[in-house]
Structures are given as structure tokens and as C-alpha cells.
Amino acid sequence: MRSCSSSLSVLILLFSTFTPVSHPDVSPLKVNLLDAATLSCSGRCPGLVRWTVFHKPMDTLAECDQTSCRSVKEGYQMIHDQYLKGNFSLTITGVDFSKRGWYTCDCDGKDLCDARLQIQPLNTPVQIKPTESLILKLDISDPVEVIYNSTVAANRSSGQICTVDGQSLQCTSEYSQRVSAALELRGMKPSDSGVYSIKDKRNDEIIHAYTVTVQDDPSDLDGCKGAVVPVWIFVLVVILLVSVIVVLAVVIRQSLSVNRTEGEL
Ligand SMILES: *[C@@H]1O[C@H](CO)[C@@H](O)[C@H](O)[C@H]1NC(C)=O
Ligand SMILES: *[C@@H]1O[C@H](CO)[C@@H](O)[C@H](O)[C@H]1NC(C)=O
Ligand SMILES: *[C@@H]1O[C@H](CO)[C@@H](O)[C@H](O)[C@H]1NC(C)=O
């Protein structure tokens, strides 16, 4: 009996570790990092309306009753005028990665609305040269996976290449030799060009996509850059020469006219 229940709890542990927690099926509100978000909810409530994080129903973020509204946690706000009209929206200021997730609004303990907040994936174009390293910032400390989608026409592969969970970094054999710090992919080749996405495993959402192009500087551009400096030097030398000639001409002309007046005297 004991072994049965312990293996059951192991199963439950495995289950809760490896499958995302089930949540209400609501379409997420997506905002940009550091923007404000307004989670909407409307209805009738004669008593206390509270917003909480979905899985922490005891931790009130903000609440309203007939007399007033209170921000219990900084950065979460409800408006009393709106509450009186049956608009129980919650405004969250400065949305960062820690504020992603599911929220719930209740009236005197009875569930009114569920809402999900997401951050628009950050998108960073990266241009590097062959043999250079690609550095990917992970942004969050939650477990993530790194997904590679090739943009090389000959080889359109895609899939997970690494996972990062706390201090533990695991990459497929193809990549493990090339990844040093969690974020650095060494020896990039033109055929490594593509989109590298950092995906939050727990919430199954992309948080950052790097569009990477690995390319040598075109050689004609190089030649052009090389020619820029000599052109300036050339122009400078010409200006110097011309001014020297002008000064010389003036001096010679003056001394000639002095000679002439001396001769006339
Ligand atoms: C509800 O209140 C929020 C502010 O809390 C406001 O932004 C929103 O426009 C209101 N919605 C309606 C339908 O009035
Ligand atoms: C990468 O490829 C997968 C499957 O091939 C696709 O579902 C996903 O949308 C692609 N991601 C990007 C950023 O192109
Ligand atoms: C195509 O993909 C395979 C396996 O991922 C790899 O060994 C090969 O070098 C790639 N070819 C090119 C041209 O990138």
C-alpha cells in the first residue's frame, strides 16, 4: 500500500514536472515588454472584487468594494469609477517576464473571469561573420529550450538544439561541442543562418527570436572602404598644394613689383 502510494506520488511528481499545469482556455493578451496591460473583466458584484494570480488565490493583487479600490501589490490597479459601472479591469504597469501568466478575478470568492498575459516575443536581428560566435540571451531563469529554424535554402532543418534548466545545459550532440556558456554558440558558418528562438518550456511560449545571418563582408564593399581614406588624403594634398602655389605666386609677384619699383627709382 505504501509503495503503491509512493509510486503514485512519484507519478504525480513526474506529471506535474513534465506537463504544463492545466489552465483555463482563454486567449492571451499580448503586450510589449515594459508596457502596461489591461486585463478585462466585467459583470455584477455587490461585494468585493479581487484579482489574483491564478495559482495563488490567497495573494490579492488589487481589490474593490462599494467604498474604494486598493492596490495590494505595487503595479496592479483597479479604478473605482469603473468598478461602480461593472468594469472590473485590472491594469498592470511595467509588464516584465515575471508578470506573464494566468490571472483570475473573483466576486466574493466566486470566479468571474480568467485572463492570460503574455509578452510579445522580442525579435533581434543578428549579423555575424563566419567563425564568430553567436550569443543568445536567455532573458528568464525558468527552463527554456533553444530552437533552430534554418534559413539556408539547401538545408531547411528545424528543431530543438539545447535546453537550459537552472545550471544544467543540454544540447544535441551536433551542438554540445560548440556551446560553451549557456548562451554562446561558437564557430558560426553561413549554413548556420536562421532563426534561433528561446522558448519558455513551462508556458510553451517563445520569448525571444534571433534572426541570424552569417555572411562575409562583400569584398567590393571592403575595397570601397579601403579607398575612402586615400581619397581624403588626396583631396587634402591637392588643397595644400594649391594653397602653397597661391602663396608662392603672391610672394613672387610682390617681390617682382618691389624689384620693378626699385629699378624705376
Ligand atoms: C474599463 O476600465 C479600464 C481601466 O481600468 C479602461 O481602460 C477600459 O476602457 C474600461 N472599459 C470599458 C468598456 O469602459
Ligand atoms: C520553426 O519550425 C517549426 C516547425 O518546423 C515551426 O512550427 C515554427 O513556426 C518555426 N519557427 C520560426 C520562427 O520560423
Ligand atoms: C545539412 O544538414 C546536415 C545534418 O543536419 C549536416 O550534416 C550538413 O552539413 C548540412 N549541409 C549543409 C550544406 O549545411
Side-chain angles (χ1 to χ4, degrees):
M1 200 57 196
R2 178 173 293 173
S3 72
C4 184
S5 71
S6 68
S7 55
L8 184 65
S9 59
V10 167
L11 259 184
I12 288 168
L13 186 70
L14 282 176
F15 197 74
S16 57
T17 313
F18 291 109
T19 57
V21 194
S22 71
H23 284 289
D25 194 17
V26 289
S27 58
L29 172 69
K30 288 191 183 184
V31 300
N32 292 320
L33 186 63
L34 301 181
D35 277 0
T38 299
L39 303 179
S40 49
C41 181
S42 57
R44 289 158 175 275
C45 185
L48 183 70
V49 174
R50 293 163 64 244
W51 276 96
T52 59
V53 169
F54 184 77
H55 56 87
K56 288 183 190 159
M58 291 303 149
D59 276 354
T60 305
L61 302 170
E63 60 184 18
C64 288
D65 58 21
Q66 293 296 329
T67 52
S68 66
C69 291
R70 284 163 299 281
S71 297
V72 180
K73 263 185 92 176
E74 204 188 317
Y76 298 89
Q77 194 180 36
M78 294 173 74
I79 296 168
H80 196 243
D81 286 350
Q82 297 294 337
Y83 162 87
L84 293 176
K85 288 190 222 160
N87 173 0
F88 307 144
S89 296
L90 175 73
T91 299
I92 305 176
T93 52
V95 171
D96 60 24
F97 289 110
S98 71
K99 291 178 177 157
R100 294 171 307 140
W102 284 262
Y103 292 82
T104 191
C105 177
D106 69 67
C107 166
D108 289 326
K110 229 172 77 226
D111 205 352
L112 270 184
C113 305
D114 295 309
R116 181 178 183 185
L117 179 59
Q118 283 187 333
I119 293 180
Q120 289 284 9
L122 308 173
N123 211 317
T124 307
V126 178
Q127 188 118 31
I128 54 181
K129 297 193 195 85
T131 74
E132 285 182 352
S133 293
L134 171 63
I135 312 279
L136 303 174
K137 223 180 128 213
L138 296 186
D139 300 303
I140 57 173
S141 53
D142 298 327
V144 294
E145 58 186 337
V146 182
I147 300 163
Y148 170 54
N149 287 40
S150 176
T151 49
V152 182
N155 219 0
R156 287 212 166 262
S157 58
S158 71
Q160 177 188 306
I161 58 175
C162 298
T163 62
V164 185
D165 189 346
Q167 290 299 308
S168 135
L169 164 73
Q170 264 161 355
C171 295
T172 58
S173 54
E174 209 185 327
Y175 285 91
S176 58
Q177 290 301 307
R178 292 175 60 195
V179 177
S180 54
L183 323 169
E184 184 180 348
L185 183 54
R186 293 190 303 267
M188 294 292 284
K189 305 183 289 290
S191 64
D192 287 323
S193 297
V195 182
Y196 291 78
S197 312
I198 310 293
K199 184 173 184 178
D200 177 352
K201 283 167 74 179
R202 194 168 293 147
N203 294 307
D204 196 31
E205 60 192 59
I206 303 280
I207 60 170
H208 201 150
Y210 293 84
T211 305
V212 178
T213 313
V214 187
Q215 201 171 38
D216 269 321
D217 275 343
S219 49
D220 56 344
L221 250 180
D222 256 350
C224 214
K225 257 190 228 151
V228 168
V229 176
V231 164
W232 278 105
I233 290 175
F234 180 74
V235 169
L236 204 69
V237 166
V238 166
I239 290 172
L240 272 175
L241 276 178
V242 167
S243 31
V244 165
I245 289 169
V246 166
V247 169
L248 273 179
V250 168
V251 168
I252 288 169
R253 221 217 249 140
Q254 271 181 355
S255 66
L256 274 184
S257 65
V258 167
N259 282 347
R260 207 180 302 142
T261 38
E262 273 172 356
E264 276 171 6
L265 278 175

